[in-house]
Amino acid sequence: MKLIECPRDAMQGWHRLISTDEKVMYLNALLKVGFHTLDFGSFVSPKAIPQMADTAEVISRLEMNGSKSKLLAIVANQRGAEEAVVFDEIAYLGYPFSISETFQLRNTNKSIRESLELLDTLQELCIKNSKQLVVYISMGFGNPYGDPYDAAVALKWVDELVQRDIQIISLADTVGIADPGIISQLFSTLIPAYPSVEFGAHFHSAPHNWEEKVATAYNQGCRRFDSAIKGIGGCPMAKDELVGNLATERLLDFSVQRHEQLGLDFTALQTALQIAESIFY
């Protein structure tokens, strides 16, 4: 399994401004744990997401030596991508591609078709700068806005991405409404249909229903999962109350039960957990 730890997702909507020093301390602790990837920050409008305004400064203070974790930064437009690709420390650029027209406009101020055009530009920038593009299918399991949705809609847009040679696609349960039936249908269809593509799951979930979602995706072959320590976070652009992320602690328990070899430093993890307690209060 590939574990993608998402402190950016936890911090971006937090009710108090987290200082740069706190972010650096927390991220440096997480870099010692051994997660495959840290979704650590974003290059987006500071007016939209003020919590991430210091991402460039944070990078300069990260202790990457000796860490096997790779860094992923979220971008929402060409300007943000151009800012991100200059950093050698960043391996992945992530783009939230919503298959809900309402949310795509709300989140990135672009239509779905405009986002497809942007993805072509982002892919070119990534290739030119030795990065890899990760596309998140926002509202991938449904939406609360009444926009058209069923499995066929999701599969159509995934095919659009595959035709653009996107190699990593993560299906996002942006507002925590994914039904296990649709999770099973999508992963059981996509994983065998596109063997060269790495499919992941980014579940926002309440504490009572996370395991069924994870188990369903896992049983259909998904081995890439996003999570955040303490289950904090969610998308502040989606609606007024954040649903919460899949908690890393619970995902680790799930992984151990499935005898997955994670290769994590659990002493370093305990340190990161203690820092999280001091930040998220």
Side-chain angles (χ1 to χ4, degrees):
M1 284 177 66
K2 287 185 180 178
L3 302 188
I4 317 303
E5 178 63 23
C6 301
R8 184 270 317 166
D9 207 347
M11 292 186 287
Q12 67 180 3
W14 196 242
H15 59 81
R16 70 172 183 91
L17 190 65
I18 301 170
S19 71
T20 302
D21 287 346
E22 288 176 297
K23 292 173 187 172
V24 170
M25 176 176 62
Y26 188 39
L27 291 169
N28 279 330
L30 290 171
L31 283 168
K32 296 177 181 178
V33 177
F35 295 108
H36 181 275
T37 302
L38 288 188
D39 174 353
F40 82 104
S42 59
F43 291 84
V44 297
S45 167
K47 292 181 179 179
I49 310 290
Q51 196 75 260
M52 294 290 105
D54 58 353
T55 293
E57 181 183 351
V58 166
I59 294 175
S60 68
R61 297 171 57 185
L62 295 183
E63 299 166 359
M64 299 297 298
N65 290 338
S67 176
K68 66 180 183 180
S69 299
K70 300 177 181 180
L71 296 183
L72 181 150
I74 295 294
V75 300
N77 53 36
Q78 182 175 343
R79 184 181 66 181
E82 289 171 344
E83 292 176 1
V85 295
V86 304
F87 293 97
D88 292 337
E89 297 90 341
I90 295 175
Y92 302 106
L93 266 59
Y95 181 75
F97 175 75
S98 176
I99 58 176
S100 156
E101 188 81 22
T102 300
F103 185 63
Q104 190 68 72
L105 290 166
R106 185 171 179 170
N107 196 34
T108 65
N109 200 30
K110 292 178 180 60
S111 68
I112 292 177
R113 283 296 171 186
E114 288 172 331
S115 288
L116 281 175
E117 294 174 5
L118 174 62
L119 280 175
D120 293 334
T121 302
L122 299 184
Q123 182 77 315
E124 290 175 8
L125 278 169
C126 284
I127 293 171
K128 181 179 179 181
N129 292 276
S130 301
K131 314 296 184 190
Q132 192 163 10
L133 185 60
V134 178
V135 178
Y136 293 88
I137 304 288
S138 299
M139 303 292 173
F141 301 98
N143 66 80
Y145 309 115
D147 292 339
Y149 179 85
D150 57 23
V153 169
L155 294 170
K156 179 190 77 168
W157 290 117
V158 170
D159 188 65
E160 288 266 8
L161 300 180
V162 174
Q163 300 310 314
R164 287 167 163 75
D165 200 30
I166 306 299
Q167 295 295 303
I168 306 176
I169 299 172
S170 190
L171 302 178
D173 184 16
T174 315
V175 287
I177 60 175
D179 177 82
I182 198 75
I183 295 172
S184 178
Q185 186 176 0
L186 291 181
F187 283 109
S188 66
T189 301
L190 292 171
I191 289 174
Y194 304 109
S196 65
V197 178
E198 180 180 351
F199 287 99
H202 183 101
F203 290 130
H204 290 176
S205 183
H208 70 278
N209 65 353
W210 69 271
E211 188 168 11
E212 188 175 19
K213 295 181 182 183
V214 172
T216 301
Y218 182 90
N219 290 339
Q220 296 301 336
C222 180
R223 293 296 182 271
R224 178 188 177 96
F225 290 91
D226 291 16
S227 64
I229 284 174
K230 294 172 65 68
I232 293 168
C235 181
M237 308 301 288
K239 59 180 190 177
D240 293 335
E241 293 187 12
L242 303 186
V243 178
N245 275 292
L246 168 61
T248 300
E249 301 91 314
R250 293 190 172 95
L251 183 59
L252 291 176
D253 289 340
F254 178 91
S255 303
V256 169
Q257 292 170 8
R258 269 65 178 182
H259 306 290
E260 292 283 349
Q261 301 299 313
L262 302 176
L264 301 184
D265 183 330
F266 284 93
T267 300
L269 177 62
Q270 287 303 313
T271 299
L273 285 167
Q274 291 171 4
I275 295 173
E277 290 287 348
S278 72
I279 290 176
F280 299 107
Y281 61 84

